[in-house]
Every structure is written in C-alpha cells, then in structure tokens.
Amino acid sequence: MQIYTTLPVVTALAPALRDCPVPVVIDHFALASAVAGTGQPGFDALLEMVATGNVYVKLSAPYRLTVWQDGRPPIEAREIARALIDTRLDRMLWGTDWPHSGAWPGVARTRDRSEPLHPIDDGEQLSAFCAWVSETEKQAILVDNASRLYGF
C-alpha cells in the first residue's frame, strides 16, 4: 500500500501503519518540511515506524519539501533524507514523481480543469540524491530495496 500524506496524518495513523499486514510505502518523505528539519513534529514518529514497522519511505520529489525561489525548487532535503537512511537503509526507495503534477505555489486547485505539469529536471533531482548517499546506499535505494519489495 502506498500513501501520499503529511507528518501529522502519519503520526495519527502510526499504530495502524506500523502493524499493517502489508508493506506501507509513504510517499515524498511524508511531506516533511526541509526547512523545519528533523526536529519538526511528527518526524520522530516517522523514524520510529521506519525503524520498527513494515513502513518504507519513498525519497521522491524533494522539491515538494521546501519553498520555491525564482520559479525553481531548491533541493534542500538532505538532512531529512539522511535521518531516514541512517534509521533503516533497507526501507528507503527513490522515485522521480514524474510527470510532476499537483498543487504548486501560485496555482489554485480546481475540479473543472486539469492541473499543469511542471518542468522539474529529473536529472537534477537524481544528482542531488546521489550527493546525499554512498555508492552502497545508492545501490540499495535505487535497485535492491525496490526489487525486494515489488518482486522484480
């Protein structure tokens, strides 16, 4: 099961998620704030679930964790990523989040039109991720963990 939600929801659902009979993948770092860092409310609950439960975290779309500047998302998620990786490397996954849709700064959500896709540079996102990890960690997160979880 994969869920896209925030730290407060993860915290509220912690017992159910931790004890879920199927693996749970929490998308986009559980939308932790890169600016607030590892001390923000709920991040400790996420780390505890990763450490002891059946929970994985997808280290995807780090641009969703911060405030955009000059129309571009800075990539500031290293501290959040390292805390998760250091807690349990075998529970980390990576993804691009392509085609980069959804709510964005300055774009109001509406039901009567499709949301725009955004020109995120996936190569830049992957390069940032690679700067946060060792070669062994990169192999685990990009290949081995997904292969084990999804059976391919």
Side-chain angles (χ1 to χ4, degrees), residues 64-78:
R64 291 184 183 272
L65 309 185
T66 191
V67 176
W68 287 33
Q69 299 166 357
D70 301 322
R72 284 188 56 130
I75 303 170
E76 300 173 343
R78 183 185 191 287

Side-chain angles (χ1 to χ4, degrees), residues 78 82 85-86 89 128-142:
R78 183 185 191 287
R82 283 303 332 164
I85 293 164
D86 292 342
L89 172 62
F129 163 78
C130 289
W132 304 336
V133 297
S134 69
E135 287 299 316
T136 301
E137 291 167 334
K138 186 183 340 178
Q139 175 69 31
I141 296 168
L142 295 178

